[in-house]
Amino acid sequence: ASVLHTRVLQDVNASKRQAWWKGNLCAHIVPGGCKRRWALGWSERQEDTVGCFVYCGELLEHAGGQMEISGPFSWLGRSRGTFEFIFERMD
């Protein structure tokens, strides 16, 4: 799947930048070869930048339709930190 989104940057000017996500839902494999949960992985390419950010995290489902995804992200093959998103169902 892919998506186009606008990111508001956390800088003095609160500038906006277009970015494109492309990724997939896959099995989260743990040591010993067992699939325990789901993982979500995607790459994000921002306009006017070199390379792309790569995210991959474990997807956890919570009561009430809420989902959480967290894991590491990298840029140009180097680890840059961790991320966490909370998704809520909007009925």
Side-chain angles (χ1 to χ4, degrees), residues 8-17:
V8 177
L9 301 175
Q10 301 290 330
D11 62 14
V12 190
N13 303 320
S15 59
K16 293 183 180 182
R17 177 178 290 160

Side-chain angles (χ1 to χ4, degrees), residues 70-81:
S70 61
F73 73 94
S74 62
W75 181 66
L76 294 176
R78 289 188 245 163
S79 179
R80 293 294 183 192

